[in-house]
Amino acid sequence: MEVTVNKTRLSLVQGDITKQATDAIVNAANSSLMGGGGVDGAIHRAGGPAILDECKQIVSKQGRLPAGKAVITTGGNLRARHVIHTVGPVWHGGNQGESDLLASAYRESLKLAVAHGLKSMSFPSISTGAYGYPVRQAAEIALRTVVDFLRQEQPLAEVVFVLFDAESYQVYAQALKALTGKNN
Ligand code: ADP
C-alpha cells in the first residue's frame, strides 16, 4: 500500500527490514545499544560488527539511550548506508507515557535522517514485539506521527514501513486508510 504525503512517498510492505535499500533503516533497539532479539538481532547479524563498534562508542560517550531518543551509525554490510537506532517504550498498560515515547521514537528518527541529509528511510513496527505494545494502537501513533512530520516542509522522498508478519501489515494498512481517508 502506498500514499503520497506532500512530496514524500509513504509505503507499507511486508518483509525483512534488513533487505531494504533505503538510505537508512531504523532499528527498534534497547537502551544498551548492545543488540538483542527481534529486529535488533536481525540488523546486527546482517550488518556485521561495524554497527556494534559504533554503538559501543556512542554509549561510552553519552551513556545508555533513553526511550524516545535516536542515534545514527553506519549500516555496515547492509544495503542501507545507515542504521538509526531508537528505543521505543515498554508497554506497561498505557498510562506510563507510552504513546508520547513511541511518537518521540519515530519523530527523533525522522529528524536525525533529515539532519544527515538522507532521502529515504525504513521503519519497523517499533515496540510491538518483545516490548508488548498493542499493534493497533502502535500503528495509529506510528502513522500519525510520520504523516504529521511529512506534512511539514522536509526533504524526504520515501518512507517505508516494513512489517514482518501479515497480521501487522493488515493492521497498519487499515490504520493508514483511516488516517489518510479522513485528512486528504
Ligand atoms: P521491540 O522490542 O521494540 O518490541 P521487536 O524486534 O521485538 O522490538 O519487535 C518489533 C517488530 O519488529 C515486531 O513486529 C517483529 O515481528 C518485527 N521484526 C522482527 N524481525 C524483523 C525484521 N527482520 N524486519 C522487520 N521487522 C522485524
Side-chain angles (χ1 to χ4, degrees), residues 121-180:
M121 65 193 298
S122 302
F123 282 102
S125 178
I126 297 167
S127 283
T128 64
Y131 280 6
Y133 210 117
V135 181
R136 200 166 299 276
Q137 293 171 55
E140 264 178 44
I141 292 163
L143 291 165
R144 189 172 0 101
T145 304
V146 170
V147 167
D148 282 352
F149 185 92
L150 297 181
R151 283 187 174 138
Q152 302 163 28
E153 187 59 32
Q154 49 74 34
L156 290 167
E158 184 181 22
V159 176
V160 185
F161 276 87
V162 182
L163 292 323
F164 203 47
D165 57 282
E167 199 185 323
S168 295
Y169 177 86
Q170 291 304 333
V171 172
Y172 271 74
Q174 245 181 28
L176 184 58
K177 266 179 219 145
L179 186 68
T180 52

Side-chain angles (χ1 to χ4, degrees), residues 27-37 40-41 44 52 54-71 73 84-90 92 101 105 126-127 130-131:
N27 181 16
N30 58 59
S31 290
S32 76
L33 294 182
M34 291 299 117
D40 195 3
H44 282 284
L52 191 58
E54 278 190 39
C55 285
K56 284 179 179 160
Q57 283 174 29
I58 289 167
V59 173
S60 73
K61 249 187 263 164
Q62 65 185 56
R64 292 163 66 88
L65 187 67
K69 302 288 186 201
V71 295
T73 67
I84 293 174
H85 305 261
T86 190
V87 180
V90 177
H92 289 297
L101 288 171
I126 297 167
S127 283
Y131 280 6

